[in-house]
Amino acid sequence: MRHTHKISKYIKMKRVGLGSLAFPSSLSNDGACSSGTGSNEGYERTPFVEPSPARATRKPALKQAKTNRGHSVFGNIVVYHESGLEQRVSSLLRTYRNIKTLMSQYPRVEYFDDEGIRHQHTFDYFVELTDGTRIGVAVKPSRKRDEMKDLLKRIRDNGITGVGTGGRRTTAVVDAIILVTEHEATYDLFENTYFILMSRSHHDDAEVRQLRNVLEKMPGQVRFGHLLLDCSSRRTRRTAIWRLIDLGFLQPVNLGRIDELSWLRAAQ
């Protein structure tokens, strides 16, 4: 964040009574641990199991100076990305609560051009929801939207036919296909995903319960930053807020990056 932006944000926070959050007067308040046992204490360590690439049709090359190749792990499955946009989409998908399976570089499907020549296309991501719905996700910059919409139409017209090992073909290999561009996978939403995913393994259960009890007695909307005041540990409270957002108990009033100035409301 540029220095001028920091100053502007501080001024806005000061106007709504949150100036102390921009320049904390006490490090102990921001870093102390609450009295809760926490979700990571007292658990049994499980043996390490190497993640699997699942049904990925190929493994992208290693990261290079001019690329953003890499991977994450979801449900013990390696999920590859080959660009910053794919990385943002992958992170967003991992935050959805109704996803059962997430894989990359799958499925491979076929389509025909205007001359009747057969071609193949591999979706960037495959999603299976908890209700069994299967979705193929194509990721492309918005400048290629028209080209991709035509391609996806050809794939639909061909019955979304998957091409497997040995050329074996399966119609309706997924139930739906979608296109995601940078307009859907924004940098603001990507920043939110970091805190949502982090809160899943680093939250304190006692703090989450305590905050939820506080919110149930609090009508209407509340700023994120106001929930950080008068608590024993801002760090623990901040993670609890993100955990409640992840669970769907708290919802942002506006779509975009969530920070101390954001308005939140309890889900109905």
Side-chain angles (χ1 to χ4, degrees):
M1 182 184 294
R2 294 173 55 185
H3 181 68
T4 54
H5 293 168
K6 289 183 179 180
I7 297 299
S8 175
K9 181 178 179 180
Y10 169 68
I11 293 173
K12 293 178 181 178
M13 291 175 66
K14 188 174 182 180
R15 286 175 179 171
V16 297
L18 299 175
S20 63
L21 299 182
F23 299 99
S25 58
S26 171
L27 292 177
S28 61
N29 177 262
D30 197 55
C33 294
S34 68
S35 59
T37 59
S39 61
N40 290 324
E41 296 185 15
Y43 67 90
E44 294 185 4
R45 295 184 180 274
T46 55
F48 172 75
V49 177
E50 184 175 355
S52 163
R55 286 176 277 179
T57 57
R58 67 185 183 90
K59 178 180 178 180
L62 295 176
K63 184 175 181 179
Q64 299 172 349
K66 295 184 179 180
T67 70
N68 197 36
R69 295 172 178 146
H71 69 274
S72 57
V73 178
F74 182 89
N76 208 45
I77 293 177
V78 178
V79 181
Y80 298 108
H81 59 262
E82 297 189 81
S83 67
L85 177 55
E86 287 187 12
Q87 182 182 19
R88 299 200 300 273
V89 173
S90 171
S91 295
L92 284 169
L93 290 173
R94 285 185 286 130
T95 64
Y96 295 159
R97 296 186 300 278
N98 61 340
I99 286 187
K100 176 182 177 182
T101 304
L102 172 62
M103 295 187 290
S104 56
Q105 298 298 316
Y106 178 83
R108 178 183 292 135
V109 296
E110 68 176 15
Y111 65 96
F112 295 89
D113 62 20
D114 291 335
E115 286 71 40
I117 299 176
R118 190 192 308 268
H119 299 273
Q120 294 184 355
H121 173 78
T122 301
F123 280 91
D124 297 291
Y125 297 107
F126 167 85
V127 171
E128 182 181 5
L129 305 181
T130 52
D131 65 2
T133 302
R134 302 160 302 164
I135 305 172
V137 182
V139 180
K140 279 292 184 291
S142 58
R143 67 177 183 274
K144 297 184 178 181
R145 180 185 295 273
D146 291 341
E147 174 186 341
M148 285 302 302
K149 287 177 65 175
D150 176 71
L151 173 61
L152 295 183
K153 181 180 182 303
R154 294 178 185 275
I155 293 173
R156 291 191 187 96
D157 291 344
N158 193 46
I160 317 183
T161 301
V163 182
T165 305
R168 180 173 56 86
R169 288 169 171 75
T170 304
T171 58
V173 68
V174 293
D175 304 300
I177 53 180
I178 61 173
L179 171 65
V180 181
T181 72
E182 71 273 16
H183 294 307
E184 293 79 31
T186 65
Y187 284 101
D188 285 345
L189 294 179
F190 177 58
E191 286 193 31
N192 295 342
T193 65
Y194 169 81
F195 297 102
I196 290 175
L197 295 172
M198 177 272 297
S199 74
R200 292 180 178 176
S201 56
H202 291 81
H203 68 274
D204 183 290
D205 288 325
E207 183 71 19
V208 172
R209 289 193 298 268
Q210 180 181 352
L211 178 57
R212 184 161 182 170
N213 291 335
V214 170
L215 291 168
E216 288 176 345
K217 303 173 184 177
M218 190 176 295
Q221 304 173 0
V222 61
R223 285 191 190 273
F224 190 114
H226 285 148
L227 297 175
L228 297 174
L229 302 178
D230 301 322
C231 62
S232 60
S233 168
R234 289 176 181 169
R235 179 182 300 171
T236 308
R237 172 60 62 85
R238 186 185 298 273
T239 305
I241 296 171
W242 282 105
R243 180 56 179 159
L244 289 179
I245 291 174
D246 180 35
L247 293 172
F249 181 80
L250 269 179
Q251 297 176 342
V253 173
N254 299 307
L255 185 66
R257 185 174 182 270
I258 300 174
D259 60 14
E260 293 85 354
L261 293 170
S262 299
W263 287 99
L264 305 173
R265 63 186 172 205
Q268 301 297 321

